[in-house]
Amino acid sequence: EDYDEEIDVDDEDEEYQPTIVEKLVSGEGVLDEGDASKASAILKSEAEEMIKPFGKSDNHVVATDDLFIGGGNGGVFFDYSEGNRLKTPFSGNLGPLLQDAVVERAKQNKPRVIAIGDVHGCLDELQTLLRRCDYHPGDVVIFLGDLVSKGPDSTSVVQMAREIGAIGVRGNHDFEVIRWHQAIKSGADPPVVGSDHYNIASNLDVADLKWLYSLPWYLSSKELNALFVHAGFVSGIRLAKQNPRLMMNMRSILPDGTVTSKFFNNWPWARLWDGPQTVFFGHDADRGLQQYEHAIGLDTGCVYGGRLSACILPEKRLVSVSAKREYFQYRRKHFD
C-alpha cells in the first residue's frame, strides 16, 4: 500500500534542546529575553497552584494574613469564626458532637462509685485495688479518709487521688497534716522529735495540699442513699450538728452514751446507726471489715499488713487486696 507522504526521523541528526525549566533547574545554558519571559510565567503559574494545598487556586486572591487560606474552603484549617460557622464541617457543631460522644461512651461503661478504706500511704496496694475494681475514667473514687501517714508513700497517694479526680472525706491523719502545714506557714519551728505529719506537710506540692484542704468532714449522696465519713456518726443527731472531731476519731459508743475513740469490743458505734442512709466509713482497723444493716466499715488494716478494701456502688460489691507487707507495727489497747 502506497502512502502519499513519508516521514523520515533521524534522531542522530537533530540536536536536543533543553526546556526552560531544565535550564532553570540545572543552571546550565543561557536564557534569552524570550526564555526569561516564559520562565516568569511558568513560575507564577506554579506559585498560584501552590496557594492552596489541595488543588489549584481558581484565581482566588488570598490575603497575606489569611490563616485559614481563603476562608477555609480547601485550606488546612477551617475558619470557625461566628461569621463563617455555617460553612464549616458539621456547621460548627463538631465540638458539642464530640462531647456528646464522650458522654455516651461513659454511660455505656456504666460509671460507678468506688469507696476505699484507709490507704495510709500504701500506693502499690491502691494501684492494685483500682485494677481489681476494673477502674475506668468516669468512675468516682471516694476515699474514706487517712490517705496519709504510717505507710511508704503518702505524697504519691495524695497526688494520685488528685490526678484521677477522686473525692474524699477528711481523716484524723489528713487533719494533722493540714495542721502542720498551717503551723509551717505561721513560722513554727520543726518538731524536736521527727513527725511523719510534718514531713508530709513539707513535701506535698501546692496542688496536692489544696486537694487535701478541700476534703470535707462527710459526704452525702441522695441518689445512692449513702453517707461517707472517716470514723462515724452519733445516731439521733442531725448531720449539721455532728461534731467534726468525733466524725474523724470515734470508734465506740458506750451504754451510758459516752462517745470515745477507744476500741471497746462490744460497743461499736455502727450498731446504733438505724439509717435510713447507709454509712460507709473507715478508721477502725481493730474491727476490720464491718457490715451492719445501715453501715459498712472498710478499714481492714492495710498499713499493718492486712488488706486494702473497697466497696463498689450501687451494687455494694466488696473488693480487697492483700498488703505487700507490714509497714507499721500495730499496737493498741483493747477494752471490753
Side-chain angles (χ1 to χ4, degrees):
E1 182 177 353
D2 296 331
Y3 291 92
D4 295 335
E5 181 179 1
E6 289 186 3
I7 301 176
D8 183 16
V9 177
D10 188 353
D11 292 338
E12 294 181 358
D13 294 337
E14 185 173 328
E15 183 179 355
Y16 174 74
Q17 297 293 330
T19 66
I20 296 173
V21 174
E22 287 173 333
K23 288 180 181 180
L24 287 171
V25 173
S26 66
E28 298 178 356
V30 180
L31 293 179
D32 56 26
E33 185 176 347
D35 288 339
S37 177
K38 292 178 181 179
S40 176
I42 291 173
L43 293 176
K44 181 179 179 182
S45 175
E46 291 182 353
E48 287 177 350
E49 290 183 3
M50 292 177 64
I51 286 177
K52 290 190 176 182
F54 306 117
K56 295 184 179 181
S57 65
D58 298 326
N59 296 323
H60 181 77
V61 179
V62 179
T64 56
D65 61 348
D66 188 352
L67 174 65
F68 305 103
I69 313 180
N73 298 319
V76 176
F77 303 106
F78 282 96
D79 179 1
Y80 284 97
S81 63
E82 188 63 27
N84 197 57
R85 185 174 64 84
L86 295 179
K87 299 179 182 178
T88 60
F90 301 99
S91 298
N93 292 319
L94 184 58
L97 284 173
L98 286 175
Q99 186 178 32
D100 291 343
V102 171
V103 171
E104 288 303 317
R105 184 173 180 181
K107 289 179 180 177
Q108 292 172 10
N109 288 337
K110 296 181 179 179
R112 307 155 301 161
V113 171
I114 305 174
I116 298 179
D118 301 34
V119 179
H120 280 298
C122 299
L123 178 66
D124 291 343
E125 289 82 353
L126 174 58
Q127 293 173 333
T128 302
L129 179 63
L130 288 174
R131 286 194 292 269
R132 185 73 58 84
C133 292
D134 194 27
Y135 166 81
H136 286 86
D139 292 336
V140 177
V141 175
I142 300 179
F143 289 100
L144 297 176
D146 280 2
L147 288 86
V148 301
S149 190
K150 301 182 180 181
D153 199 349
S154 293
T155 54
S156 293
V157 167
V158 176
Q159 180 183 356
M160 179 180 175
R162 175 182 59 80
E163 289 179 347
I164 66 173
I167 57 178
V169 294
R170 185 176 299 189
N172 53 305
H173 287 281
D174 310 318
F175 182 63
E176 290 302 317
V177 170
I178 291 171
R179 287 182 64 193
W180 263 115
H181 179 253
Q182 291 175 335
I184 293 169
K185 287 173 60 180
S186 300
D189 294 330
V192 177
V193 180
S195 166
D196 192 21
H197 300 123
Y198 170 82
N199 292 332
I200 295 168
S202 302
N203 291 318
L204 283 173
D205 64 25
V206 174
D208 295 336
L209 279 167
K210 286 182 177 180
W211 186 88
L212 203 63
Y213 267 82
S214 73
L215 298 180
W217 307 118
Y218 70 91
L219 290 167
S220 176
S221 172
K222 181 179 179 181
E223 291 77 10
L224 295 170
N225 193 33
L227 294 167
F228 305 87
V229 69
H230 178 57
F233 293 114
V234 178
S235 185
I237 298 179
R238 292 188 295 115
L239 292 176
K241 295 293 184 180
Q242 296 281 338
N243 186 320
R245 187 164 292 278
L246 294 180
M247 284 189 277
M248 291 189 298
N249 291 281
M250 65 185 292
R251 289 188 178 90
S252 307
I253 299 181
L254 305 183
D256 63 1
T258 300
V259 182
T260 175
S261 63
K262 295 178 180 179
F263 171 81
F264 284 86
N265 188 46
N266 298 321
W267 312 110
W269 71 267
R271 83 191 193 283
L272 300 175
W273 184 259
D274 55 3
Q277 294 168 297
T278 300
V279 177
F280 296 88
F281 65 99
H283 186 61
D284 198 353
D286 259 315
R287 293 187 174 93
L289 179 66
Q290 300 180 63
Q291 294 179 277
Y292 302 89
E293 183 179 359
H294 295 293
I296 297 177
L298 293 173
D299 184 1
T300 47
C302 180
V303 75
Y304 307 116
R307 302 180 71 83
L308 184 61
S309 298
C311 185
I312 301 175
L313 304 174
E315 61 264 35
K316 293 185 179 179
R317 179 165 63 91
L318 296 170
V319 181
S320 69
V321 297
S322 297
K324 285 189 170 182
R325 64 179 179 86
E326 181 186 45
Y327 299 101
F328 193 88
Q329 188 175 0
Y330 188 77
R331 52 184 185 275
R332 186 180 301 284
K333 293 179 181 180
H334 288 204
F335 300 88
D336 294 330

